[in-house]
Amino acid sequence: MNKLYTAVFIILAFATYASVHAVQDSTAIAQADTASVQTPTVTAPQETPTPAAPAQSPIPTQTTPIAEAPAPTKKGIYTDGTYTGISADAFYGSVQVQATISGGRLTAITFLSYPQDRNASRAINQSAMSALVNQAISIQSAQVSGVSGATDTVSAFRQSLSSALAQAA
Amino acid sequence: MRVTRALMGMPVAIELVGGTESDREALFSLFAAVDARFSTYKHDSEISQLNRGDVSLERASKEMLEVLSLCEHEKTHSGGVFDIRTPDGTLDPSGLVKGWALRKAAQLAEHLGYSDYWIEAGGDIQTSGRDEDGNRWRVGIRNPFEKDSLACVICPDARGVATSGTYLRGTHIYDPRTGLAVDSPYVSLTVVGPDVYEADMWATKAFVLGEDGLALLARMNGFEAYAIGHDHTVTTTPDWNSLVSA
């Protein structure tokens, strides 16, 4: 529940920040969608120059474009600069990305934090849906003949990237 | 002994219990032949030649005709949810070919006299009989949120298992009716069906349909499904638990 309050607080704080610093340009920005990011350049993790919380802190950072840049160039739908996304919960840790815009386009994505905490005993939420049975994911280390599966989730990455791009708009 | 090779752009694993190397090779050759014929990444594959117009449909192989007519059948019966025509107008039957090849390989294994086997390609599995210790085959379903961890373990026995899901490179499943990438409520959807071809087709179709797909599967005899949502919840068809390993 604390996580929910924290998330709601961050969203409200960000919304307040965004409305105060609203861009005058009326160009509508489509929902940032990683499907439209064809080949992001993922650079190695590096120290962030923005005032971010320490990497191990669970509290997501507030975001600020680089202040020392002169009048930003606005060619594409995004304003040039470097923007740090929210630290999104990936269940087994957090994902935070930094997006770099130059020439109005997304040119680099830097991972500021990777999921590292593999706490297998974390509780999973349940939701109800009629006519279908719901159950919690049960994490088992049983012996199996083999595995059928999907690959890694991208949702935490998207959340963080979306929030970074939303500021660049 | 289970042997895995990269074919059709994915890991293909074959285990014929008590089997010979040459019989296993026969199955691998089948996958290699499917790859050579149906890979849109191979310039000289039959599908690439067809798409360029270098070869006409009248001259197509019987395997190509079989696959293309199955694709047409699936498109008609799914209301267009399954459609191999790509946005640029070419045909890409790979969504059907994986399950079809697995079914063909299982048929070949049976023809060669095997009733205990594990045949797998890219996360889709067809099993039969028992493993080399005489135990039921146990299939783990990967937990998409935690590497090297499982969400569930089932014993499909002679039924087929297929899993659809979103990938790190971005959603790769498109709704042919809209041409748009599917924004599915699920990260992973595992379908168990009468055989792996059916399971694979329904894992693809149901993923596009989202919650409606799962509701549909709940009403179909012979199918069970296990869906993992972005919010980490799991939703299953009513009799899924009958598959779960004790």
Side-chain angles (χ1 to χ4, degrees), chain A residues 18-86:
Chain A
S19 63
V20 165
H21 292 84
V23 176
Q24 294 304 316
D25 193 320
S26 61
T27 307
I29 305 302
Q31 173 75 29
D33 181 0
T34 52
S36 66
V37 176
Q38 294 302 323
T39 51
T41 310
V42 181
T43 59
Q46 46 190 255
E47 290 301 307
T48 170
T50 59
Q56 64 271 26
S57 165
I59 299 170
T61 61
Q62 199 39 276
T63 57
T64 325
I66 302 229
E68 64 268 19
T73 334
K74 196 171 179 85
K75 285 186 204 162
I77 58 169
Y78 299 124
T79 305
D80 287 357
T82 306
Y83 306 93
T84 302
I86 59 166

Side-chain angles (χ1 to χ4, degrees), chain A residues 92 124 133 138 143 145-146 148, chain B residues 2 123 138 140 145 151 163 232 236:
Chain A
Y92 47 88
I124 315 283
V133 175
S138 53
Q143 281 286 91
S145 319
S148 177
Chain B
R2 189 174 312 170
R138 289 160 56 81
F145 306 112
T163 300
H232 305 162
T236 74

Side-chain angles (χ1 to χ4, degrees), chain A residues 3 6-7 10 53-61 86-89 93-94 122:
Chain A
K3 238 186 173 46
T6 305
I10 297 301
Q56 64 271 26
S57 165
I59 299 170
T61 61
I86 59 166
S87 183
D89 182 6
S94 61
R122 207 182 282 217

Side-chain angles (χ1 to χ4, degrees), chain B:
Chain B
M1 178 165 110
R2 189 174 312 170
V3 176
T4 305
R5 287 202 197 139
L7 285 163
M8 305 192 308
M10 61 188 77
V12 173
I14 296 174
E15 181 177 345
L16 299 173
V17 178
T20 64
E21 192 187 328
S22 76
D23 286 342
R24 196 174 54 235
E25 285 305 315
L27 264 66
F28 275 123
S29 296
L30 186 153
F31 284 107
V34 168
D35 198 18
R37 191 183 306 287
F38 293 103
S39 172
T40 54
Y41 296 102
K42 289 182 148 72
H43 186 265
D44 294 327
S45 67
E46 191 180 350
I47 190 68
S48 292
Q49 291 179 47
L50 262 172
N51 279 325
R52 282 195 304 270
D54 292 353
V55 114
S56 68
L57 214 48
E58 295 87 58
R59 305 217 145 179
S61 64
K62 70 170 167 55
E63 290 89 348
M64 179 61 69
L65 292 174
E66 183 184 334
V67 162
L68 292 180
S69 72
L70 275 171
C71 291
E72 195 54 40
H73 172 88
E74 294 291 352
K75 177 179 162 187
T76 308
H77 285 81
S78 68
V81 171
F82 180 83
D83 188 343
I84 66 167
R85 176 103 24 208
T86 67
D88 67 7
T90 57
L91 297 177
D92 181 8
S94 54
L96 182 139
V97 165
K98 180 164 82 166
W100 177 81
L102 280 160
R103 176 195 263 179
K104 286 284 183 193
Q107 286 170 348
L108 178 56
E110 300 273 343
H111 175 76
L112 292 168
Y114 295 96
S115 53
D116 303 292
Y117 51 82
W118 170 291
I119 306 170
E120 172 190 353
D124 291 359
I125 303 163
Q126 180 67 64
T127 49
S128 176
R130 298 286 174 117
D131 68 14
E132 62 185 0
D133 298 319
N135 298 320
R136 294 169 83 189
W137 298 103
R138 289 160 56 81
V139 174
I141 294 170
R142 196 180 306 281
N143 179 342
F145 306 112
E146 192 157 326
K147 213 167 171 281
D148 303 325
S149 151
L150 303 174
C152 189
V153 178
I154 57 170
C155 291
D157 292 320
R159 297 163 81 176
V161 183
T163 300
S164 268
T166 49
Y167 290 80
L168 200 58
R169 288 187 297 277
T171 49
H172 72 309
I173 295 181
Y174 290 80
D175 184 337
R177 301 168 299 177
T178 61
L180 301 173
V182 168
D183 204 8
S184 174
Y186 307 126
V187 175
S188 171
L189 172 65
T190 299
V191 173
V192 174
D195 76 357
V196 68
Y197 169 81
E198 299 284 346
D200 189 55
M201 286 309 305
W202 273 102
T204 303
K205 290 188 282 199
F207 199 86
V208 169
L209 291 168
E211 286 165 5
D212 290 343
L214 202 59
L216 208 56
L217 284 165
R219 293 198 295 271
M220 287 164 56
N221 281 333
F223 289 86
E224 299 298 334
Y226 181 96
I228 305 176
H230 291 280
D231 58 359
H232 305 162
T233 59
V234 169
T235 314
T236 74
T237 48
D239 293 328
W240 175 265
N241 282 341
S242 65
L243 289 165
V244 175
S245 167

Side-chain angles (χ1 to χ4, degrees), chain A residues 87-150:
Chain A
S87 183
D89 182 6
F91 172 58
Y92 47 88
S94 61
V95 173
Q96 187 174 31
V97 301
Q98 184 179 72
T100 302
I101 311 293
S102 46
R105 292 171 58 249
L106 178 67
T107 55
I109 295 174
T110 305
F111 282 86
L112 300 180
S113 74
Y114 293 90
Q116 278 162 26
D117 174 27
R118 310 247 153 145
N119 185 355
S121 65
R122 207 182 282 217
I124 315 283
N125 293 326
Q126 297 205 25
S127 69
M129 254 177 86
S130 61
L132 296 168
V133 175
N134 290 270
Q135 54 188 273
I137 290 177
S138 53
I139 300 169
Q140 305 171 34
S141 57
Q143 281 286 91
V144 290
S145 319
V147 179
S148 177

